[in-house]
């Protein structure tokens, strides 16, 4: 089976940088994804790492180390609208069409 | 271009009843996955439909069943409802065989099911 661990809550100040870590255990691995979900909303895709290293998309970056079974999401220049839950998710098998397994989510609160 | 749509938005049922939830995938997508999200938890995979067949299934009892139509829309049926079935039910669509950005899934707004 697969399991993911991420902090349950993080609080950060507007304009600052925050890092949300994710460690995973899977029988196979086909990439780590990150999703954002605002209260009452649908999860929306943020980023994907299939290989080791850093992927940057605007203010958001995501990192993966397959040897450490570890990744993180980095949010820069935090804005109030970034307050949301952030989920890491993996595909545990060797196919891009296998279902996503989600972590329990990290609730980010951005304060003034 | 319409995204993923789901209906109804909210639903209240009593124990033992049956419910049907509906989903229309994003235009151009052919694969629909259903997830259950309990309060404060991450989405949990129920099953996935492609070419009108259930292709993969998560750890859910057979009270949970589904269907996919030729136009790719899908239904989730839950029989003999239990209190523990209260959750947000999310539908996600994707394009099978697309290996690009991790086969990104597009989620609908969900159906909030309350079982009393």
């Amino acid at each position: 089976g697969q399991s993911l661990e991420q902090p349950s809550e993080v609080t950060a100040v507007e304009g600052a940088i925050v890092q949300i870590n994710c460690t995973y255990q899977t029988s196979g691995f086909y990439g780590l994804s990150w999703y954002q979900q605002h209260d009452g909303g649908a999860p929306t895709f943020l980023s994907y790492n299939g290989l080791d290293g850093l992927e940057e998309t605007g203010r958001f970056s995501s990192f993966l180390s397959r040897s450490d079974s570890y990744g993180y999401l980095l949010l820069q220049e935090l804005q109030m609208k970034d307050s949301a839950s952030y989920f890491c998710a993996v595909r545990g098998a060797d196919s891009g069409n296998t279902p996503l397994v989600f972590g329990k989510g990290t609730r980010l609160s951005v304060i003034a | 271009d319409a995204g993923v749509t789901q209906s109804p938005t909210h639903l209240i049922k009593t124990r033992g009843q049956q419910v049907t939830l509906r989903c229309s995938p994003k235009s151009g997508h052919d694969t629909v996955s259903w997830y259950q999200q309990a309060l404060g938890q991450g989405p949990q995979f129920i099953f996935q439909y492609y070419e009108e067949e259930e292709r993969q299934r998560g750890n859910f009892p057979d009270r949970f069943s589904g269907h996919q139509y030729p136009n790719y829309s899908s239904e989730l049926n839950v029989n003999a409802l239990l209190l523990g079935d209260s959750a947000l039910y999310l539908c996600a669509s994707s394009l099978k065989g697309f290996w690009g950005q991790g086969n990104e899934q597009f989620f609908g707004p969900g159906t909030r099911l309350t079982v009393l």
Side-chain angles (χ1 to χ4, degrees):
Chain A
Q2 298 94 34
S3 66
L4 300 96
E5 293 288 332
Q6 52 180 131
S8 58
E9 293 183 4
V10 173
T11 300
V13 177
E14 191 176 16
I17 300 172
V18 71
Q19 178 174 312
I20 299 174
N21 299 320
C22 173
T23 57
Y24 58 87
Q25 290 186 325
T26 64
S27 54
F29 181 76
Y30 198 85
L32 181 71
S33 300
W34 289 90
Y35 284 77
Q36 178 192 60
Q37 186 179 30
H38 287 97
D39 286 348
T44 56
F45 175 82
L46 289 177
S47 69
Y48 168 77
N49 293 76
L51 300 174
D52 291 352
L54 191 68
E55 294 286 340
E56 298 180 79
T57 308
R59 295 188 297 113
F60 294 179
S61 303
S62 58
F63 172 82
L64 174 66
S65 169
R66 288 175 295 172
S67 61
D68 295 321
S69 297
Y70 163 76
Y72 66 71
L73 178 69
L74 191 73
L75 296 82
Q76 303 181 73
E77 301 174 14
L78 281 172
Q79 302 175 9
M80 301 300 285
K81 67 178 182 179
D82 296 329
S83 293
S85 292
Y86 292 84
F87 297 91
C88 56
V90 297
R91 297 186 189 280
D94 57 357
S95 165
N97 286 304
T98 52
L100 286 170
V101 176
F102 285 82
K104 292 185 177 181
T106 298
R107 187 170 184 86
L108 170 64
S109 297
V110 180
I111 58 176
Chain B
D1 178 22
V4 179
T5 60
Q6 293 186 243
S7 63
T9 306
H10 296 85
L11 203 52
I12 300 175
K13 293 285 188 178
T14 57
R15 282 178 296 175
Q17 285 190 310
Q18 178 265 344
V19 68
T20 297
L21 311 181
R22 295 177 174 82
C23 170
S24 291
K26 179 178 169 62
S27 177
H29 283 184
D30 57 7
T31 303
V32 173
S33 301
W34 287 92
Y35 293 83
Q36 180 194 66
Q37 186 175 25
L39 201 61
Q41 301 293 314
Q44 188 172 359
F45 176 74
I46 302 174
F47 44 54
Q48 181 184 80
Y49 275 83
Y50 171 69
E51 290 185 333
E52 302 179 49
E53 290 188 14
E54 182 182 298
R55 300 292 178 168
Q56 301 187 65
R57 189 177 183 93
N59 188 26
F60 278 80
D62 56 12
R63 296 188 297 111
F64 290 76
S65 63
H67 188 80
Q68 185 180 36
Y69 295 93
N71 67 352
Y72 308 121
S73 67
S74 177
E75 290 180 353
L76 164 66
N77 301 293
V78 187
N79 294 323
L81 284 167
L82 304 174
L83 295 179
D85 295 331
S86 294
L88 180 68
Y89 288 85
L90 295 162
C91 167
S93 74
S94 56
L95 185 59
K96 194 168 181 67
F98 174 62
W99 305 96
Q101 295 298 312
N103 196 14
E104 171 188 349
Q105 297 211 337
F106 290 81
F107 283 84
T111 294
R112 173 71 64 186
L113 173 64
T114 301
V115 182
L116 303 175

